[in-house]
Amino acid sequence: QVQLVESGGGLVQPGGSLRLSCAASGFTLDYTAIAWFRQAPGKEREGVSCDTGDADARPYYADSVKGRFTISRDNAKNTVYLQMDSLKPEDTAVYYCATDKACIATMFGPYDYDYWGQGTQVTVSS
C-alpha cells in the first residue's frame, strides 16, 4: 500500500526556514519522481518542486520559490525533503508531497497526482 506522510510544518516568521519531510512506504523511491505542491485557502493548487530521482536531471522549482527552496532525497531512508529558506507570508499553505510521472504534472499542470499525503501546514507570519 502506497503511503506518503509529510511532517515538519509549523509557524515561522518571515525570513525564517523550515524543512519538510516526506516519508514514503509501500514502494521504493529509487527512480520515482516525487513532487511537493501546496494549496492555500481560496487559492488554486500550485506545484512547488519536483525531483525525478534521476541524478543527471535538475529538480524543478516554481518561479515563486526558485532560489529559496531546495528539494532533496535520501533513498536509503525512503524520504524526500523540502528545505524552505527566506520564507514569505505568501508561502503560507498546506504542503503535500506526491508521486509524479517524470515531474510532468508538477511542471505543466494540472496538478493531478496518483498518490499524495495528508499535508502539513506552513504558516509564515510575524
Side-chain angles (χ1 to χ4, degrees), residues 21-32:
S21 298
C22 171
S25 60
F27 68 103
T28 57
L29 277 182
D30 300 55
Y31 306 109
T32 299

Side-chain angles (χ1 to χ4, degrees), residues 94-110:
V94 179
Y95 284 71
Y96 302 84
C97 62
T99 59
D100 198 348
K101 293 181 176 65
C103 296
I104 297 297
T106 307
M107 289 192 289
F108 303 110

Side-chain angles (χ1 to χ4, degrees), residues 82-93:
L82 186 68
Q83 177 67 40
M84 306 188 297
D85 299 318
S86 302
L87 282 162
K88 304 175 181 180
E90 50 264 45
D91 294 319
T92 296

Side-chain angles (χ1 to χ4, degrees), residues 4-9 18-24 36 79-83 95 97 118 120:
L4 298 165
V5 179
E6 303 92 339
S7 62
L18 284 173
R19 188 176 82 154
L20 306 183
S21 298
C22 171
W36 287 95
T79 301
V80 176
Y81 305 98
L82 186 68
Q83 177 67 40
Y95 284 71
C97 62
Q118 84 290 346
T120 185

Side-chain angles (χ1 to χ4, degrees), residues 49-126:
S49 180
C50 189
D51 178 64
T52 63
D54 182 349
D56 294 328
R58 290 183 179 180
Y60 164 82
Y61 297 99
D63 288 343
S64 57
V65 306
K66 201 170 292 183
R68 300 188 297 119
F69 289 12
T70 304
I71 191 171
S72 63
R73 63 170 63 204
D74 185 336
N75 287 340
K77 295 183 178 179
N78 238 33
T79 301
V80 176
Y81 305 98
L82 186 68
Q83 177 67 40
M84 306 188 297
D85 299 318
S86 302
L87 282 162
K88 304 175 181 180
E90 50 264 45
D91 294 319
T92 296
V94 179
Y95 284 71
Y96 302 84
C97 62
T99 59
D100 198 348
K101 293 181 176 65
C103 296
I104 297 297
T106 307
M107 289 192 289
F108 303 110
Y111 307 114
D112 295 329
Y113 302 101
D114 290 335
Y115 302 99
W116 61 93
Q118 84 290 346
T120 185
Q121 175 70 47
V122 172
T123 303
V124 185
S125 175
S126 54

